Amino acid sequence: MKLETLYNEYSKLVYNLALQYVQNIEDAEEITQDVFLAIHRSLDDFKHQSKLSTWIYRITINKSLDHLKAKRAKKRFSFLISLFPAEDNEGQHKAVTFNHPGVQLEQKEALENLFRCMNQLSGLQKTVLILNKIEGKSMVEIAEIIQRSPKATESLLQRARINLLQQINRIEGNES
Amino acid sequence: MNHKFVKAVNMKMENARRMADNFQYIKQAELPANFFIQIENRIEKEKDNYLHPKWMTAAAVFFVCILSLNLFQLNKSKLDNVKPNLVQALNLVTINQFYP
């Protein structure tokens, strides 16, 4: 299968899924590039044991979580660098900004807060929430993507929901 | 008092639930028109630098083999030098013990 065909079919899916993780256009575009690069490299090794879309979902989720991890490490490192101020500030970490093109202006503030709460969850809980609440996937589909049983996925989603509500309450409590 | 507390908690949870419902307002976003060209360019750029994991593993194994062989050779040559001296020293000690 040609990469261009795959791109035409799945680029929107990859980009939007990455956006839900990073909520930033530049980062989501970078992840999309990484995903298609990974697909290009390992397309010959794909054994068709799962659906192509499930495989692409998995790659996108892994790349997004890796990206977030690398960003967090960079942030920690830039804190160390800031202890020893240099003349040029090129290596310093830029502040993360909420720049989600799928969010309309009226809902921007509410969704920014909501994503802030969701970003406090673990990678797996965040993944399950994104796939269920935003991508509208069924429990069986999510279970296939994250390679867990439907029952385990269900309880994971339940825990994620409770944790999200707790985070919202905490933030709302701090703000009021 | 208790009733008021339960009511407050329920209201808080209801607010949180309402806020969590905002996920439904997220729309699909579009990629820039020339984005595939950017991906193709990156693939071209990384083609020369990319090393398949199996070659990386082979290189690592080869490196470890060479290193351990070198260490083994080094130890062997060191032992070769040490051995006669040690034997000689032991001989001297023994001779001195019996023929002071």
Side-chain angles (χ1 to χ4, degrees), chain A residues 3-4 7 11-12 15-16 19 29 32-34 36-37 40-41 100-102 104 107 110-111 113-115 118 133-134 165 168-169 172, chain B residues 9 12-13 15-17 19-36 38-40 42-43 46-47 50 52:
Chain A
L3 188 70
E4 196 168 357
Y7 175 82
S11 61
K12 215 171 163 184
Y15 179 56
N16 279 288
L19 259 177
E29 284 183 2
T32 309
Q33 282 194 10
D34 288 346
F36 280 98
L37 210 70
H40 173 74
R41 276 174 194 159
H100 194 308
Q104 286 168 329
Q107 273 85 34
L111 276 165
N113 282 337
L114 189 53
F115 274 115
M118 199 173 71
K133 291 277 174 193
I134 306 175
L165 293 181
I168 292 172
N169 277 335
E172 293 280 297
Chain B
V9 168
K12 254 177 114 179
M13 285 311 271
N15 279 343
R17 263 188 219 110
M19 195 172 161
D21 280 345
N22 278 322
F23 276 131
Q24 60 177 312
Y25 296 115
I26 297 171
K27 301 262 181 293
Q28 291 270 299
E30 295 284 341
L31 272 162
N34 60 346
F35 200 70
F36 187 66
Q38 285 182 40
I39 294 175
E40 273 185 326
R42 209 172 135 189
I43 289 171
E46 294 199 3
K47 217 177 233 174
Y50 178 66
H52 195 281

Side-chain angles (χ1 to χ4, degrees), chain A residues 39-132:
Chain A
I39 292 172
H40 173 74
R41 276 174 194 159
S42 42
L43 196 57
D44 296 334
D45 300 335
F46 178 59
K47 292 183 177 74
H48 296 275
Q49 284 168 342
S50 60
K51 274 197 289 183
L52 191 64
S53 61
T54 308
W55 182 60
I56 292 175
Y57 261 113
R58 261 182 231 150
I59 296 176
T60 312
I61 290 166
N62 289 338
K63 290 281 173 197
S64 303
L65 292 175
D66 287 349
H67 188 90
L68 287 174
K69 217 186 278 176
K71 217 169 176 182
R72 240 174 279 144
K74 211 171 159 186
K75 207 172 168 182
R76 269 200 295 266
F77 188 65
S78 72
F79 168 72
L80 278 177
I81 288 177
S82 68
L83 293 176
F84 309 98
E87 278 180 16
D88 59 327
N89 289 338
E90 264 179 43
Q92 289 204 357
H93 180 74
K94 287 180 202 156
V96 182
T97 49
F98 182 81
N99 186 11
H100 194 308
V103 172
Q104 286 168 329
L105 206 63
E106 308 94 74
Q107 273 85 34
K108 198 184 171 194
E109 201 184 333
L111 276 165
E112 191 174 348
N113 282 337
L114 189 53
F115 274 115
R116 194 149 42 109
C117 297
M118 199 173 71
N119 290 342
Q120 305 296 317
L121 305 183
S122 72
L124 204 56
Q125 289 188 4
K126 198 174 166 181
T127 301
V128 174
L129 264 183
I130 288 172
L131 291 176
N132 183 258

